[in-house]
Amino acid sequence: MKISVPTLLVLMSAGVLGLTSAYGQSIPKPDFTAQVDKLLAQMTVEEKVGQMTQVTIDVVSKDMPAPLQPGARHQLDPAKLRTAITKYHVGSILNVMGSAYSVDHWHEIITQIQDVATRETRLKIPVIYGVDAIHGANYTTGATIFPQSLGMAATWNPGLMRRDGEITAYEVRASGIPWNFNPVLDIGRQPLWPRLFETFGEDPYLAATMGVAYVRGLEGEENQINQKDKVAACLKHYLGYSFPHTGKHRTPAYIPEIMLREYFLPTFKAAVEAGAHTVMVNSSEINGVPVHASHYYLTELLRDELGFEGFVVSDWADIINLHTRERVAATPKEAVRQAVMAGIAMSMVPLDFSFYDHLLALVREGAVPMRRIDEAVGRILRVKFALGLFENPYPDKTLRSKFASPEFRAVALQAARESLVLLKNQNNLLPLAPSTKLLVTGPTADKLSVLNGGWTITWQGNEESLYPHEHHTILEALQEKFGKPNVTHVPGASFQEEIDVAAAVQAAQSAQAVILCLGEEAYCETPGNIMDLSLPRAQLNLAQALQQTGKPVILVLAQGRPRLIREIEEKSAAILAAFLPGVQGGTAIAEVLAGEVNPSGKLPITYPRHPNDLTLYDHKFSEQASEHQSYKPQFPFGFGLSYTTFAYSDLALDKTRLKPGEALTVSVTVKNTGTRAGQEIVQLYLTDLYASITPHNQRLKRFEKIPLAPGESRRVTFTLQPQDLSFIGRELKPTIEPGEFKVAVGPLAQQFWLE
Ligand code: BGC
C-alpha cells in the first residue's frame, strides 16, 4: 500500500499522528485585510499600477559620470524622485548606485524617499525599499560581513545561520531598509553555474534547514517583521534557476516535474511554510517556459499549492525580457500582460516606467482584469502593513548602537572559522608550529575581494580599493600569526597568468612550508560564467612547480565553485577549502593553519574530480554500477577533516519494523578519540532499498553538529518522521512505500522494514 503525504497530513491535522514537519509549521500572520481593503477602495487604477512598479535607485538619482568611479558620491535627484513617486506612484525602489553607502547616506536616501511618499501623495503609502544583503548588509559600509551562503552551508550550523540572518536584518534595518532580496534557495547541483556560492549547496535537506534558519533570523520566530530590527525576506530565484543545462547564468533549464519537486521545490516549500513574506522569480525558463510567464509555477504551484501569502517580485528587467530575450511575447506590452496574469505582483522594471504605462493601458483595455490588480496590490500593501511602514517608514537611529559591533563581528568570525573545510592533511602536517618559515604565494594570497566574492560593496565585489583594510588578507593574517620575518610573499601567478613562478620556486627553498593560495577572483551573475571548471592553467603550473621543490605545499582554496584540482591534489600535503568566508576569512584561515582553531566544516557539495563527471552524492544506484561508473569525486559531499578524530559506535534503532505513520528513533555514540577538542557533524543518511521510482543510493535526512572534548563521548539521537521516508512518486506527490530501508550514520548502518 502507498500512503501519500497529503493523506498523512490529514491524519496529522486530525491529531491522529501528531507529527510535525521537519522544519516547523507554517506561522499564521495577521493579514491586515481590513486596512488593505480600505486602502484599495480609495486607490485609483494609476495608484494601484504604481504600487506594482519598482525602479532602481539610478532612476531617482543625479547622473554619475560614466564609467562610474569606485566610491563616487551618490545623490538623489529630488525632481526625478518626485516624478517617480507622485507621477508614476511607484511602490518600491531598489539597489545601490555605484558602491556601498554609509549608514548616514542610507538614512538620507530613505528619509527623502519617504518624505515624498508620505507628504506629497494623496494616500501617503510608504515606499518599500529593497537591497541584496547577501552575506551581511554588504551594501552598507563597515557592515558585519558573513561567509557567502555556500560557506555558511559548510558550517552545517543552523544556529549560526540564524544569527547571520538576525545580524543581517539588524544592520539592513539600521540602514533604514526593510526588505532583503535573500536567501537564495536554489539548489547547487550545477557546479559551473556562477551563482553556486550564493546557494546552500547540492542537498535539499541541508539547504532547506539553513534557508529556514536564515528566514527565521531575518523575519523573527513568528514573522513579526514590524519589529524594528527585522526585515522581510525574499526567497529566490523561484524555481529551477540554478540548474541551467550549459551551466551559464540565465540560460534554459530542462527539469522534469518529478525532479523539480524532488530537488528544487523543497527549499521554497519549507521557507514558505516558515512564513517568508516575498518571493523573487527565476529569470530564465524551465522546459521552454519562462518562469516569469508561468501561471502554473507562480499561481498554481506557489500560491495555490504551497499556500504562499506574500507577494512575488520579478527579477531585474525580466518582464521586458519575455519580449527581448525569451521571446514568448511579441511586444513589450504583451510581456507585461503575460507576467501579471501569471501571478507577478511587482515588476523590477527597473530602469524606466514602461511597465507602468503598459499595465495601465492593459487594464483600461480590459486585457488585465481589475481583480487581478487588486489581488496583486493587496499582497504588496499587506507586506507594507506587516513591516509597520504605515506607522513609521523612517530609519530608526537607535539601531546604530549595535551596527558592526564587536558582538556581531565575533559571530561572523566564528562563522568564517566554521566554514573552512580541511580536505587533506597528510601525516598531520597541520597545524603548523609557531614561527614556521612560510612562503605565501598565489593569486588569492593578498586580496580581500577573493575572500568575499560578488555582492560585496559593489555588485561584482571586485573593487579591492573599497574593501575595509582593517581586515586581513590571508598573507597579512599569516604575517601576524607567524611573525613577519617568517613569512615571505611572492605573487607567483595571477588568476590566469604566470607572474614569477621561478621566483616563487626560489623562495620556497628557504621556507619550511608553502601556503599556496589559489582560486577565483570575485564575480557574480553572468560575468562569472566559465567554460571550464578546472583551475586555470597558470595556477596549476605554479602549484606543480612548487610541488617539485619537495617542500610541503598547503593548498588554500578561496573560490565560489569547486574548481578542479585533480592534477595537483596528490602532491599537495594539505588542502583547506575556504569557499568565500568574508572579510574575516584571512584571520580564520591563519587561525586554522596555526592550530588555534580546529576546523569543523564539511562539504555542502560534491567536489568533482573530472570536468565531465558531475555525479552527485545522492545519485541513483545505476550510477555506481561498476568501476567505470561510480561516485569517485575529488571529495564527497559531507566530507571534512579535523585535527582530532571521532569514532562512531552503537548505532541503534528503536524498532526494526515500522508501522505506517510511526516515527523511528535512531541513536549513535560519537567519541572524540584524539587529543584536541573538536566539533563533529553527525550525519544521518537514509536509503530506500527498493521503490517504484528508482531510489537514490542515499539521502541526507538529519544532522547535528556537536562539540566534544578529548576522550568525551556523546549519544546523539535523531527522530525520523514518516514523511522522511517519502519520495516524489509517479503521481508527482510525496509517496511512501513499504519495504526495506537502510539508515547510515558515519561508518555504521542498519536496516529496518516499513510495513
Ligand atoms: C539578481 C537578483 C537580485 C536583483 C536585484 C538580479 O540581477 O538576479 O538576485 O536580487 O538583481 O539586484
Side-chain angles (χ1 to χ4, degrees), residues 94-95 132 181 195 236-237 241 250 280 283 315-316 348 455 525:
L94 85 148
N95 215 10
D132 296 281
F181 303 132
R195 303 191 76 168
K236 67 188 193 184
H237 307 77
Y241 186 50
R250 291 198 175 141
M280 191 187 292
S283 303
D315 201 345
W316 188 269
M348 189 185 289
W455 306 113
E525 302 195 43

Side-chain angles (χ1 to χ4, degrees), residues 653-673:
L653 277 50
D654 71 336
K655 36 187 122 45
T656 49
R657 286 195 85 84
L658 218 60
K659 294 195 175 45
E662 271 185 344
L664 177 74
T665 303
V666 180
S667 36
V668 69
T669 299
V670 185
K671 182 172 184 189
N672 181 342
T673 48

Side-chain angles (χ1 to χ4, degrees), residues 30 32 35 39 114 118 123-127 173 224-228 381-395:
F32 303 101
Q35 293 98 311
L39 203 48
Q114 302 298 22
T118 62
L123 296 171
K124 309 184 188 323
I125 302 175
V127 163
R173 203 78 193 234
Q224 298 297 332
I225 52 174
N226 63 339
Q227 287 172 30
K228 64 178 186 178
L381 293 176
R382 224 176 290 144
V383 174
K384 291 188 176 187
F385 276 110
L387 280 165
L389 294 179
F390 283 91
E391 287 134 45
N392 180 10
Y394 291 101

Side-chain angles (χ1 to χ4, degrees), residues 104-292:
D104 282 343
H105 189 53
W106 274 121
H107 284 193
E108 280 167 30
I109 291 172
I110 302 297
T111 304
Q112 268 178 276
I113 291 173
Q114 302 298 22
D115 276 351
V116 178
T118 62
R119 295 187 190 159
E120 298 183 29
T121 67
R122 212 169 61 87
L123 296 171
K124 309 184 188 323
I125 302 175
V127 163
I128 179 171
Y129 202 101
V131 281
D132 296 281
I134 304 298
H135 60 137
N138 43 242
Y139 279 159
T140 306
T141 44
T144 306
I145 297 295
F146 282 84
Q148 295 277 2
S149 291
L150 194 61
M152 288 306 297
T155 70
W156 295 60
N157 187 335
L160 263 180
M161 193 69 230
R162 186 176 172 140
R163 287 293 289 142
D164 174 342
E166 286 169 356
I167 291 167
T168 302
Y170 183 103
E171 295 195 355
V172 170
R173 203 78 193 234
S175 312
I177 300 166
W179 188 18
N180 183 9
F181 303 132
N182 210 30
V184 171
L185 295 181
D186 305 311
I187 299 297
R189 296 177 79 85
Q190 165 52 287
L192 287 164
W193 191 53
R195 303 191 76 168
L196 187 83
F197 70 85
E198 296 179 54
T199 76
F200 297 115
E202 80 191 41
D203 178 69
Y205 177 74
L206 175 60
T209 305
M210 298 306 256
V212 166
Y214 184 77
V215 168
R216 293 218 193 289
L218 287 185
E219 294 207 349
E221 185 63 35
E222 302 197 336
N223 307 80
Q224 298 297 332
I225 52 174
N226 63 339
Q227 287 172 30
K228 64 178 186 178
D229 58 351
K230 294 294 168 200
V231 296
C234 186
L235 316 177
K236 67 188 193 184
H237 307 77
Y238 176 85
L239 179 67
Y241 186 50
S242 54
F243 204 57
H245 183 64
T246 62
K248 309 243 173 47
H249 184 228
R250 291 198 175 141
T251 58
Y254 301 93
I255 312 177
E257 183 86 10
I258 192 166
M259 193 177 178
L260 200 68
R261 287 172 178 269
E262 187 68 62
Y263 301 110
F264 298 96
L265 191 61
T267 41
F268 288 97
K269 180 175 187 298
V272 165
E273 284 171 6
H277 278 82
T278 72
V279 165
M280 191 187 292
V281 183
N282 168 4
S283 303
S284 194
E285 57 180 74
I286 306 174
N287 308 333
V289 178
V291 183
H292 279 77

Side-chain angles (χ1 to χ4, degrees), residues 463-514:
E463 284 296 346
E464 188 65 27
S465 65
L466 297 181
Y467 276 76
H469 278 278
E470 84 251 27
H471 294 294
H472 291 335
T473 63
I474 300 174
L475 172 67
E476 290 161 353
L478 288 170
Q479 284 170 337
E480 193 180 88
K481 203 64 66 193
F482 289 86
K484 232 175 177 168
N486 292 321
V487 179
T488 307
H489 175 233
V490 176
S494 67
F495 294 96
Q496 302 286 350
E497 309 283 338
E498 295 179 21
I499 301 175
D500 48 3
V501 175
V505 167
Q506 179 63 36
Q509 309 303 335
S510 42
Q512 291 167 290
V514 177

